[in-house]
Amino acid sequence: MHQPPVPHLQDRDPEIAGLVEAEARRQYEKLRLIASENYVSPAVLEATGSVLTNKYSEGYAGRRYYEGQQNIDPIELLAIERAKEVFGAEHANVQPYSGSPANLAVYMAFLEPGDPVMGLSLPMGGHLTHGWSVSATGKWFRPVRYDVRADTGRVDMDQVRDLALKERPKLIWCGGTAIPRTIDFPAFAEIAREAGAVLAADIAHIAGLIAGGAHPSPIGHADVVTTTTHKTLRGPRGAMILSTAEHAKAVDKAVFPGLQGGPHDHTTAAIAVALKEAAQPDFARYARQIVANAQVLAAALVDRGYDLVSGGTDNHLVLIDLTNKGVAGKPAAQALDRAGIELNYNAVPFDPRKPFDPSGLRLGTAAITTRGLGEEHMPQIAEWIDEVVLGTAKQDEAVAGRVAGKIRELLASYPMPGWAPAP
Ligand SMILES: *Cc1c(COP(=O)(O)O)cnc(C)c1O
């Protein structure tokens, strides 16, 4: 049963309805440990599925290119006000279609083609859009890449400073997709100031932790902050750019008309709803619980002999190096998926294996924390992961079915927002 129900979809297009239903059941039955995913609330789902999808509203509130914005303007202004309030930012743009376009808008706002940009290299946990070679950002700008230290698995701030002063990037990115440790925004800000660069903090993964006070905020340190809204922040698929008042105009012009056409008003409304949810006291509890769960899970994995990048976690994310287990990331991820544990294979720093067949696994606790799982469940999850990984090494297929059954049993007691099995 979907919440809200979908009778028209079932009637009009049973083929798609059947697949949506199957996906809902899959999300209900699986232990969802993909670090960038979550479960949004029924309120966010309703806003996303509303008639706002019918509207065109190129421009900004009070300065639109189409008529009929009587309701859209207040919706977008609410989203902006809430974003500023939740993050303490001077300016917010809530129109970027997703995280990658939001990041491209930052280039558009501050750089000319060919300008140097510095970011954490992709295999070390950075994002494609921070200047990786296959991305437009690496092709159209001149990438300079910093790394994590081999001995600590943490960003090498000495290297960041040396590179920044030598290469004089116009833009420095901090943040990434596979960083299990706290990002030192003040240290990055000092380096950017020294090098004369704009500092952009990409908080896509940790926005919900920052909103809930479980990770330090880049506001007051970074010139511009980009984030997706659908990861730990638990909103619809979308993005925002926060900035100082000084850069407001440049950011807005870069998003529209620089890069995009009409904003997705249904997404804007859902972002506003998610931000209202993120401002509630129980969201701060949620953010702290995400981190507590990740830390207990990390410790339980270490107890079982797993080698974690940086040795543990400060946030929602755990990066496992499977090398000492004699299993590669991809076959392990596939076996775990068959066993009802959904995560992704991932490169680890200095990975000797290829990007499409790397040595690691990445997991995160945002979605299972939304389901209501707590620290008491984490040792059991570590045990299941271990059973399946060891089973992969021994090519034991029976373990997958057994673990999947136990996970279905556990999750049946923890409701999923948006869907429940028919009684
Ligand atoms: C997820 C992510 C993005 C990109 O978001 P999309 O919505 O997938 O385009 C950008 N930066 C970081 C650090 C991310 O983790």
Side-chain angles (χ1 to χ4, degrees), residues 248-267:
K249 246 203 183 119
V251 165
D252 285 353
K253 263 179 65 184
V255 173
F256 177 86
L259 277 176
Q260 298 192 167
H264 295 179
D265 298 320
H266 55 303
T267 300

Side-chain angles (χ1 to χ4, degrees), residues 98-101 103 127 129-130 175-177 202 204-205 228 230-231 237-238:
S98 211
S100 303
N103 287 356
H127 192 260
T129 56
H130 299 178
T177 58
D202 181 346
H205 263 265
T228 56
H230 47 270
K231 299 179 183 176
R237 307 199 77 78

Side-chain angles (χ1 to χ4, degrees), residues 104-123:
L104 201 53
V106 172
Y107 290 84
M108 181 89 191
F110 299 107
L111 271 63
E112 296 294 329
D115 278 346
V117 55
M118 195 163 118
L120 179 60
S121 83
L122 183 79

Side-chain angles (χ1 to χ4, degrees), residues 305-309 319-325 348-349 359-361:
Y306 284 83
D307 182 10
L308 306 187
V309 172
L319 193 54
I320 306 174
D321 183 344
L322 286 175
T323 307
N324 69 350
K325 296 287 178 183
V348 296
S359 302
L361 294 174

Side-chain angles (χ1 to χ4, degrees), residues 133-172:
S133 45
V134 297
S135 155
T137 62
K139 291 182 191 296
W140 297 344
F141 303 92
R142 184 169 72 74
V144 178
R145 298 184 185 114
Y146 59 90
D147 301 319
V148 298
R149 287 177 60 109
D151 54 345
T152 61
R154 296 171 189 242
V155 170
D156 187 340
M157 295 309 293
D158 294 333
Q159 184 204 19
V160 171
R161 183 166 180 276
D162 292 347
L163 270 176
L165 294 180
K166 178 161 160 271
E167 303 286 346
R168 296 283 164 175
K170 267 200 164 166
L171 172 67
I172 298 177

